[in-house]
Amino acid sequence: MSSSEHALTRRQLLISGAAAAGYALAARPVSARAIKTDATGLVSGVAAIPVEDAEISGFYAYPEGAKSAPVALVVHEIFGVHEYIRDVCRRFAKAGYFAVAPDLYQRQGDVATLPDTGRIVREVVMKVPDAQVLADLDAALAWAGDHEQADASRAVITGFCWGGRIVWLYAAHNPQLVAGAAWYGRLVGEPRAETPKHPVDLAAQLHAPVLGLYGSEDKGIPLATVDEMRRRLSAGGQTSEIVLFPAAPHGFHADYRPSYRSLAADEGWRRMLAWFESHRAR
């Protein structure tokens, strides 16, 4: 434990992580189409990940009997590590990965219990520094690498919405990364103390190629910003790619929400796994 009197104890953190089981309050009602991946043949649970000033919780899943499986970092959306993100981890485990989704909001608050996205943004998300997030992802990767079931030298990352933006940032941060896949993460923004740079600012500095998965009908991410990101990637000599799915809105992979589009979600998932495999993550 650090000298900070505000540092969270392991017990507090694990209780907070456990509270995220199920869907976040602000994400309800949950669609009947929500996917539930069978956990048969998997090992999964709540992780206690050592970070600079405490431990943060997370969710992990990997195949039974795995040895040196590639690590998949899963970066949560605005609703934190709730059931959808846990299920994404199980899907990765079914595909042969050691998946871990750290709770990157945990120091700032428990978003699972907040009743609407406005409060989540104001009370938690706006207070989360990018530097803290990137360091916590490094810690999650190191935690996974301490397990014989995982091979941290073959690490990939994916994230959704808020997490999609983080994927681009992490690809510019960690040279250990093999590849990334960003699902509809914002690409531009005004600089703030907590978020000093955005993906367009770092497009020429990526250590690993990123597959961007975006929807043509995303009201929160103008197509002009997608085009600008493509231009900056090209100008920087990057091999990253952006796929634009026609008629797909923001959140088209979120199967528990009305925004879900099964065709785009399934094709995006297929492309992502192929992208990771082509960059020798398997």
Side-chain angles (χ1 to χ4, degrees):
M1 183 69 67
S2 77
S3 60
S4 170
E5 63 185 280
H6 297 295
L8 296 174
T9 68
R10 174 182 173 131
R11 176 173 170 77
Q12 288 171 326
L13 285 163
L14 289 179
I15 288 172
S16 177
Y23 289 90
L25 183 61
R28 302 172 190 171
V30 175
S31 169
R33 298 183 297 176
I35 295 171
K36 179 68 174 179
T37 300
D38 181 10
T40 302
L42 304 181
V43 177
S44 63
V46 176
I49 301 168
V51 293
E52 182 180 2
D53 55 353
E55 287 178 325
I56 60 172
S57 66
F59 184 80
Y60 67 88
Y62 60 85
E64 288 181 353
K67 286 192 177 297
S68 299
V71 175
L73 294 171
V74 178
V75 189
H76 57 73
E77 52 187 354
I78 193 172
F79 302 119
V81 186
H82 66 150
E83 180 55 26
Y84 164 64
I85 296 300
R86 290 169 178 245
D87 201 83
V88 167
C89 288
R90 289 191 288 268
R91 296 175 212 181
F92 266 112
K94 290 284 188 178
Y97 288 83
F98 186 114
V100 57
D103 186 343
L104 301 169
Y105 294 163
Q106 201 158 342
R107 292 178 189 76
Q108 283 71 35
D110 182 4
V111 298
T113 60
L114 295 177
D116 59 72
T117 56
R119 283 190 60 184
I120 290 175
V121 171
R122 292 191 306 272
E123 298 179 19
V124 179
V125 177
M126 294 291 285
K127 301 175 183 178
V128 180
D130 285 344
Q132 172 188 291
V133 170
L134 299 176
D136 286 355
L137 287 168
D138 287 343
L141 182 56
W143 175 87
D146 286 339
H147 295 73
E148 66 177 8
Q149 296 88 354
D151 180 1
S153 71
R154 294 186 293 153
V156 299
I157 188 170
T158 195
F160 306 86
C161 185
W162 180 87
R165 172 183 173 272
I166 296 299
V167 167
W168 293 104
L169 271 57
Y170 197 68
H173 165 78
N174 191 343
Q176 186 177 347
L177 197 67
V178 171
W183 297 79
Y184 36 84
R186 288 191 177 184
L187 300 166
V188 303
E190 292 296 323
R192 302 168 50 246
E194 294 80 7
T195 57
K197 292 188 177 181
H198 294 280
V200 292
D201 305 314
L202 301 169
Q205 302 171 34
L206 304 183
H207 297 294
V210 174
L211 176 66
L213 301 165
Y214 288 78
S216 66
E217 302 303 313
D218 191 326
K219 303 304 182 185
I221 303 178
L223 294 184
T225 67
V226 176
D227 290 340
E228 177 62 19
M229 187 65 177
R230 281 174 166 157
R231 284 193 293 271
R232 296 206 186 189
L233 289 168
S234 178
Q238 295 286 330
T239 58
S240 298
E241 298 178 9
I242 295 179
V243 178
L244 197 64
F245 291 91
H250 191 80
F252 62 82
H253 187 269
D255 50 73
Y256 65 99
R257 303 178 69 186
S259 60
Y260 178 56
R261 300 293 184 271
S262 60
L263 291 178
D266 292 348
E267 176 63 10
W269 188 265
R270 184 194 68 77
R271 285 175 178 256
M272 176 188 69
L273 292 182
W275 180 262
F276 289 164
E277 186 167 0
S278 71
H279 291 90
R280 296 188 295 277
R282 297 297 304 279

